[in-house]
Amino acid sequence: MDTNNEIVLYLPKPPSLNAFYAGRHWTIRKKHKESYTKSLKEALTNYDLFTTEQYALEVEYNARYDVDNAIMCAKFVSDFLKDNEYAIDDTPKYFIKQSTKFNKNLNKDEFLCRIKLYGYQLREH
């Protein structure tokens, strides 16, 4: 982690928002989330365990999604941080900002997520 308390993760393409909610059974949505959670867990193994008082997410992607359909990356990352005790919650008190933008310079179907941490502290394993 650098001195700005920012984590940069290169993540796989999540399902689009439309595909995730388009009449799918909850078990299919659960399967997608579990698969993405596994990728997040692997990506964070390169970092020390931490907690943060507040955080912001900046997502860039190169996929054939409209910008609003690429939101699932931020949703899955935010839920992961909350569910794995990196952050207290994902309410506006803790999750203070989110942005998503297309970036043609990334590899096809690649998602880059910057997690900006405020009140970062290391935690025991």
Side-chain angles (χ1 to χ4, degrees):
M1 175 154 331
D2 67 20
T3 57
N4 294 323
N5 292 331
E6 179 178 281
I7 293 174
V8 178
L9 304 176
Y10 290 88
L11 298 168
K13 181 173 92 170
S16 76
L17 179 65
N18 285 348
F20 192 72
Y21 285 108
R24 299 284 174 104
H25 193 269
W26 68 269
T27 57
I28 302 297
R29 292 192 300 269
K30 184 177 185 237
K31 181 180 171 186
H32 283 299
K33 186 173 182 179
E34 287 173 347
S35 174
Y36 212 76
T37 296
K38 183 179 177 185
S39 296
L40 279 164
K41 189 174 184 176
E42 289 172 10
L44 280 169
T45 60
N46 298 321
Y47 297 93
D48 293 324
L49 286 175
F50 64 88
T51 58
T52 189
E53 292 174 17
Q54 295 181 311
Y55 64 99
L57 300 178
E58 295 177 1
V59 175
E60 297 180 28
Y61 73 98
N62 185 1
R64 294 183 58 134
Y65 293 168
D66 295 338
V67 174
D68 59 337
N69 283 314
I71 194 72
M72 293 310 296
C73 178
K75 172 67 173 154
F76 289 159
V77 171
S78 181
D79 285 352
F80 182 89
L81 293 174
K82 174 190 62 147
D83 294 344
N84 291 277
E85 300 177 352
Y86 289 95
I88 296 169
D89 205 347
D90 58 358
T91 62
K93 180 177 178 180
Y94 305 101
F95 182 11
I96 59 173
K97 183 179 177 185
Q98 186 278 138
S99 66
T100 304
K101 71 178 182 177
F102 179 77
N103 180 344
K104 68 179 181 179
N105 296 316
L106 293 172
N107 294 327
K108 186 178 189 300
D109 293 336
E110 183 173 57
F111 279 64
L112 180 151
C113 181
R114 286 186 183 86
I115 307 170
K116 300 203 176 201
L117 307 169
Y118 307 96
Y120 164 87
Q121 294 179 350
L122 287 175
R123 71 178 194 194
E124 295 294 320
H125 295 280

